[in-house]
Amino acid sequence: MSQTVDVLILGAGAAGLMCAIEAGKRGRSVLVIDHARRPAEKIRISGGGRCNFTNIHCSPVNFLSANPRFAVSALKRYTPADFLKLVESHRIAWHEKTLGQLFCDDRSQAIIDLLLGEAERARVRFSLATAVSDISKPDDRFLVETSTGPCRATSLVIATGGPSIPKIGATGFGYDVARRFGLKVISPRPALVPLTFDEALRDRTKHLAGISVDAVVSHGKTRFREGLLFTHRGLSGPSVLQISSYWQPGDTITVNLSPDENVLDRLKVVRKEQPRQDLRTALADLLPKRLAQFVAELHGLGGRLADQSDKALAKAADAIARWIVKPVGSEGYRTAEVTLGGIDTDELSSKTMETRRVSGLYFIGEVVDVTGHLGGYNFQWAWASGHAAGQFA
Ligand code: FDA
């Protein structure tokens, strides 16, 4: 069946739904197409099922992009307080977990219901389980061929996200659309993703799987202090997911496994007070026992504290506070929470999200080269960019 609308949005995720609501509120006829059977699958599985829907400390420094200034305008015009107001108007109970991260008290379905309720009020129509086979602009309108027939639209909004978690329907479709219209795409890669060790280190650390510690993980000048988790294949936990967005193959990361202690000072005190104690025992007071054993073996540490020179203690302290690790890779799109890179922001207006070269074509959300830190920032970008485009599409 052929149809004509003002605004056609591809992707019924966070950004697409927000854009649909805003455009619908302006009286535009809006159709949202998604190939998935259900809208907003990523919202449903987000935040461990409770959706970390924003972060009250949101600022441009929490985002990575080839042009860090690009996101500023949209983020300013639609803030965490704006989304929170919407959440409260739907009487959704929420709490701040840590570091400004706001979560639903109950299931993330509440956020999906909020968006679908608002979309219904704005008379937005949906076509789910619908595949798109071709997009063109033969005249002043777009022509989109779909499995349910062709659709013509004055504005076409691409909100199909990135390829992270393909098993729930994520694709690199948006990049194909961009290339189809001759727009630049910054090479995408998985981010907020666990890092993996080579076989030798994996064998030595396998037995540590499940151990988690508070840690500072650094890459160059960038550092994050949050939990670190040993896995069967390498490292995960919030601090490692955060640093994965900065890490590139071949790079090392530096891990401080005991950020609250000056480890060297502490070892010197213990050497004075309990000279007969073994260095390994002293390390086990600072770290979980199995982890302390691993650190000692990795760096060949051990022997009575009385026999340790200052240099030997400094080596032991470095082994804990400056563990330099070279991951071989990441777990990839299979588990990555987001995708770095995407539509080059040079192609877009930061005010409207419309492409400069193709009038009426918009890109919003994760498909754009704007990627947030872990902690609610990616949804805030989806809301803000969707809101911006919704005022103009
Ligand atoms: P999103 O991916 O949400 O939506 C894209 C839509 O397009 C999907 O519905 C998809 O089916 C559809 N689509 C794709 N290809 C298509 C095609 N070819 N044709 C038609 N439709 C197509 N962020 C955060 O801030 N807080 C959090 O708690 C979490 N938690 C979290 C957990 C997990 C497991 C993941 C994977 C991710 C998160 N995130 C997150 C990140 C967050 O989910 C993500 O950044 C946003 O959902 C991006 O919103 P978009 O609307 O841009 O894409």
Side-chain angles (χ1 to χ4, degrees):
M1 196 184 69
S2 168
Q3 48 186 330
T4 300
V5 292
D6 293 330
V7 185
L8 174 58
I9 299 175
L10 301 186
L17 291 174
M18 178 57 91
C19 180
I21 293 163
E22 290 301 313
K25 284 201 293 202
R26 287 171 42 235
R28 305 281 276 162
S29 61
V30 182
L31 175 66
V32 181
I33 288 181
D34 202 298
H35 65 172
R37 284 177 192 287
R38 295 196 291 184
E41 275 297 271
K42 273 198 189 159
I43 297 182
R44 191 177 58 77
I45 63 168
S46 68
R50 297 212 161 151
C51 188
N52 176 194
F53 54 81
T54 193
N55 192 302
I56 50 173
H57 303 313
C58 186
S59 90
V61 300
N62 304 113
F63 296 86
L64 292 90
S65 171
N67 174 5
R69 301 295 303 160
F70 177 81
V72 173
S73 166
L75 290 170
K76 247 194 207 159
R77 283 176 288 142
Y78 194 81
T79 64
D82 292 321
F83 193 74
L84 190 54
K85 212 160 109 192
L86 188 59
V87 166
E88 294 196 321
S89 73
H90 282 253
R91 299 177 193 280
I92 297 172
W94 59 275
H95 61 279
E96 179 183 344
K97 194 170 170 192
T98 171
L99 303 170
Q101 302 167 4
L102 305 192
F103 282 76
C104 297
D105 282 359
D106 299 315
R107 292 181 317 129
S108 35
Q109 184 64 39
I111 300 292
I112 302 176
D113 293 343
L114 172 163
L115 294 165
L116 295 180
E118 292 287 326
E120 194 180 340
R121 272 176 38 192
R123 298 175 188 276
V124 172
R125 287 184 302 121
F126 286 88
S127 179
L128 300 175
T130 301
V132 174
S133 52
D134 191 39
I135 298 177
S136 58
K137 196 176 183 205
D139 45 42
D140 57 345
R141 276 192 293 207
F142 293 89
L143 173 62
V144 177
E145 301 288 351
T146 80
S147 52
T148 55
C151 179
R152 287 178 175 280
T154 316
S155 296
L156 176 63
V157 183
I158 308 298
T160 46
S164 299
I165 321 270
K167 82 166 187 254
I168 59 161
T171 68
F173 176 84
Y175 313 141
D176 299 338
V177 177
R179 292 189 192 106
R180 156 89 184 71
F181 286 99
L183 308 175
K184 285 180 288 170
V185 174
I186 304 226
S187 289
R189 65 186 168 90
L192 300 183
V193 64
L195 297 175
T196 53
F197 291 156
D198 63 23
E199 210 177 325
L201 190 54
R202 215 185 303 158
D203 280 348
R204 296 186 77 162
T205 53
K206 246 191 243 163
H207 68 294
L208 302 177
I211 291 182
S212 82
V213 289
D214 179 30
V216 173
V217 182
S218 334
H219 175 271
K221 287 191 178 138
T222 308
R223 61 209 300 272
F224 292 95
R225 179 174 180 169
E226 287 182 66
L228 171 146
L229 173 73
F230 283 84
T231 71
H232 285 100
R233 293 161 52 84
L235 294 175
S236 186
S239 59
V240 172
L241 297 183
Q242 298 277 32
I243 218 72
S244 73
S245 299
Y246 295 84
W247 177 84
Q248 304 253 20
D251 292 353
T252 57
I253 56 172
T254 304
V255 180
N256 182 347
L257 294 164
S258 184
D260 280 329
E261 287 277 356
N262 181 323
V263 179
L264 181 57
D265 285 356
R266 167 89 177 258
L267 290 175
K268 282 181 177 170
V269 170
V270 185
R271 179 177 62 183
K272 199 166 167 195
E273 291 174 354
Q274 300 173 60
R276 283 205 249 170
Q277 190 179 82
D278 195 279
L279 174 56
R280 291 179 178 222
T281 312
L283 296 182
D285 281 345
L286 291 163
L287 297 175
K289 201 167 169 200
R290 268 185 294 154
L291 181 54
Q293 260 168 10
F294 159 73
V295 170
E297 278 162 24
L298 187 68
H299 298 276
L301 308 171
R304 282 192 335 160
L305 280 169
D307 300 334
Q308 310 290 325
S309 63
D310 282 356
K311 203 171 151 196
L313 287 192
K315 182 180 165 193
D318 268 2
I320 291 184
R322 283 180 30 82
W323 179 32
I324 297 170
V325 199
K326 191 172 185 177
V328 280
S330 81
E331 295 284 0
Y333 289 124
R334 190 178 56 84
T335 61
E337 277 201 16
V338 283
T339 306
L340 273 167
I343 312 309
D344 191 330
T345 56
D346 280 356
E347 302 283 6
L348 307 175
S349 151
S350 59
K351 185 174 170 197
T352 65
M353 303 293 141
E354 186 177 11
T355 58
R356 297 182 193 285
R357 298 199 226 181
V358 187
S359 158
L361 179 62
Y362 298 73
F363 287 86
I364 55 172
E366 195 178 318
V367 73
V368 178
D369 173 35
V370 173
T371 307
H373 287 169
L374 186 77
Y377 301 103
N378 284 297
F379 279 136
Q380 189 56 39
W381 168 244
W383 314 137
S385 58
H387 183 270
Q391 311 307 313
F392 299 92

